[in-house]
């Protein structure tokens, strides 16, 4: 579990990127931070692995205040996947995936064997192992980026617009791949996007941000769709309602969450009926 408590970040030039942000991110679930450009998503993500330190407030991982942990080992134990894959251009695919395990002292042969297995995990043919990143498609590069993020077998996987730079078809494939991976691996995923459809597709918990990392609404996709907290959220989630991939429809006594082809993606359960399900905001 990751817990932000009254976290703010002001950069030296005075920009208040995050203003008093508090949130619990449950273990083994995907939390998606979604908001427009400059709303503080990347800053929030980078505070989890101490690439950025808060100006005030605390962040805990499983009860440990990360300000008390050494940044480098902390960072090496958390998977991080970025938009441009962040691969080292002069290293082969296999060496890119094995980089962090090697830095952590895993013997070379073992690190490479594990990296080969990870290529399978992310749906890449092992024959690509000896290519350089420039010899791969954008989608393949992103898969290598995900494999690299998983290489240290982290409990936490941070993903910063990982599918933002690929075309829509490849993007849809990568999204499905992540859903499959997550159902197998059960990581605590924190995913940043500015695409609300992607947020609803991938998120167990979706956090809609205004500027300054202020939370406009947090909840499961169906809850947000059914009860947008205010006009800001309503317009954010309904900007292209006509083409919406996921939408709610009332059938009899139930609110059903349907995809664009009318297939059932979920059933909305009223909060009062979920007394036994955990409240994602409740401290645990
Ligand atoms: N190193 C920095 N120094 C000063 N200001 C910064 C720095 N990094 C980010 N900011 C500012 O902090 C605010 C939040 O930035 P951040 O990158 O977290 O937003 P974001 O929601 O991830 O945006 P995007 O979707 O465009 O990536 C912005 O106003 C940005 O200009």
């Amino acid at each position: 579990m990751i817990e932000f408590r009254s976290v703010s970040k002001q950069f030296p030039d005075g920009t208040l990127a995050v203003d008093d942000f508090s949130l619990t991110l449950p273990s083994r679930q995907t939390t998606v931070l979604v908001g427009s450009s400059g709303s503080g998503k990347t800053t929030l993500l980078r505070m989890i692995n101490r690439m950025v330190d808060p100006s005030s407030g605390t962040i805990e991982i499983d009860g440990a205040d990360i300000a008390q942990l050494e940044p480098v080992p902390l960072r090496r134990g958390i998977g991080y996947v970025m938009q441009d894959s962040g691969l080292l251009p002069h290293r082969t695919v296999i060496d890119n995936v094995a980089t962090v395990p090697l830095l952590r002292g895993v013997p070379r042969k073992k690190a490479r064997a594990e990296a080969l297995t990870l290529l399978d995990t992310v749906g890449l043919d092992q024959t690509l192992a000896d290519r350089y990143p420039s010899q791969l498609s954008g989608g393949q590069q992103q898969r290598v980026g995900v494999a690299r993020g998983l290489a240290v077998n982290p409990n936490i996987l941070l993903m910063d617009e990982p599918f933002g730079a690929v075309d829509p078809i490849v993007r849809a494939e990568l999204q499905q791949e992540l859903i499959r991976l997550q159902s197998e691996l059960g990581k605590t995923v924190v995913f940043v996007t500015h695409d609300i459809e992607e947020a609803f597709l991938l998120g167990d918990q979706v956090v809609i941000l205004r500027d300054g990392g202020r939370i406009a609404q947090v909840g499961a996709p169906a809850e947000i769709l059914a009860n947008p907290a205010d006009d800001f959220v309503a317009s954010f989630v309904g900007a292209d309602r006509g083409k919406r991939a996921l939408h709610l429809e009332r059938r009899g006594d139930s609110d059903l969450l349907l995809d664009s082809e009318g297939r059932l993606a979920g059933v909305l359960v009223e909060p009062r009926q979920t007394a036994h399900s955990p409240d994602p905001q409740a401290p645990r």
Side-chain angles (χ1 to χ4, degrees):
M1 180 173 89
I2 305 170
E3 188 138 23
F4 285 79
R5 293 208 183 126
S6 298
V7 170
S8 296
K9 176 65 190 179
Q10 185 161 31
F11 286 104
D13 68 356
T15 307
L16 187 58
V18 172
D19 184 16
D20 196 19
F21 180 88
S22 295
L23 183 72
T24 300
L25 292 76
S27 295
R28 298 179 171 276
Q29 294 197 12
T30 300
T31 294
V32 180
L33 306 176
V34 58
S36 52
S37 185
S39 54
K41 306 181 293 295
T42 296
T43 304
L44 283 165
L45 194 76
R46 290 185 173 181
M47 288 198 280
I48 297 171
N49 67 358
R50 295 202 58 192
M51 287 169 75
V52 172
D53 281 327
S55 313
S56 61
T58 56
I59 301 167
E60 291 182 2
I61 296 180
D62 295 334
D65 179 353
I66 63 169
Q68 308 302 323
L69 306 176
E70 285 296 322
V72 172
L74 173 77
R75 212 167 291 151
R76 286 189 185 156
I78 294 177
Y80 186 58
V81 185
M82 332 178 224
Q83 175 163 356
D84 64 359
S85 81
L87 300 179
L88 302 165
H90 303 301
R91 293 218 182 144
T92 59
V93 163
I94 191 83
D95 285 342
N96 263 287
V97 176
T99 300
V100 179
L102 285 171
L103 285 170
R104 291 179 74 182
V106 175
R108 190 167 178 79
K109 215 169 156 187
K110 183 164 188 275
R112 287 176 65 98
E114 287 173 0
L116 272 179
T117 308
L118 275 171
L119 294 186
D120 280 340
T121 306
V122 299
L124 277 178
D125 198 306
Q126 293 194 356
T127 58
L128 300 176
D130 293 320
R131 290 204 194 172
Y132 289 90
S134 63
Q135 297 170 314
L136 301 179
S137 72
Q140 288 169 334
Q141 289 181 26
Q142 283 311 114
R143 286 175 195 258
V144 177
V146 175
R148 197 177 58 162
L150 293 172
V152 292
N153 194 21
N155 292 328
I156 297 173
L157 187 60
L158 307 179
M159 307 185 84
D160 194 351
E161 297 245 12
F163 312 144
V166 294
D167 69 60
I169 292 173
V170 174
R171 183 174 189 152
E173 275 173 25
L174 292 171
Q175 289 168 342
Q176 290 306 322
E177 199 75 19
L178 180 62
I179 291 170
R180 177 190 65 78
L181 262 181
Q182 175 63 347
S183 70
E184 286 172 15
L185 302 178
K187 303 288 182 191
T188 304
V189 177
V190 191
F191 191 105
V192 160
T193 182
H194 59 260
D195 178 348
I196 187 71
E197 299 295 351
E198 185 166 71
F200 283 159
L201 184 67
L202 300 178
D204 299 303
Q205 170 169 259
V206 172
V207 185
I208 299 180
L209 296 171
R210 301 171 187 269
D211 277 359
R214 292 180 190 89
I215 295 178
Q217 189 166 3
V218 53
E223 291 164 1
I224 295 176
L225 274 166
N227 293 307
D230 55 24
D231 289 350
F232 174 84
V233 176
S235 87
F236 197 83
V237 305
D240 50 358
R241 197 172 288 283
K243 320 183 253 141
R244 164 164 300 299
L246 293 178
H247 60 279
L248 277 181
E249 253 179 57
R250 185 95 189 146
R251 299 257 179 94
D253 287 338
S254 307
D255 282 319
L256 305 183
L257 188 63
L258 302 172
D259 72 12
S260 57
E261 273 139 35
R263 286 179 300 228
L264 185 64
V267 179
L268 181 70
V269 181
E270 294 294 333
R272 64 178 173 280
Q273 293 174 263
T274 57
H276 301 295
S277 66
D279 172 4
Q281 291 308 296
R284 277 192 262 163

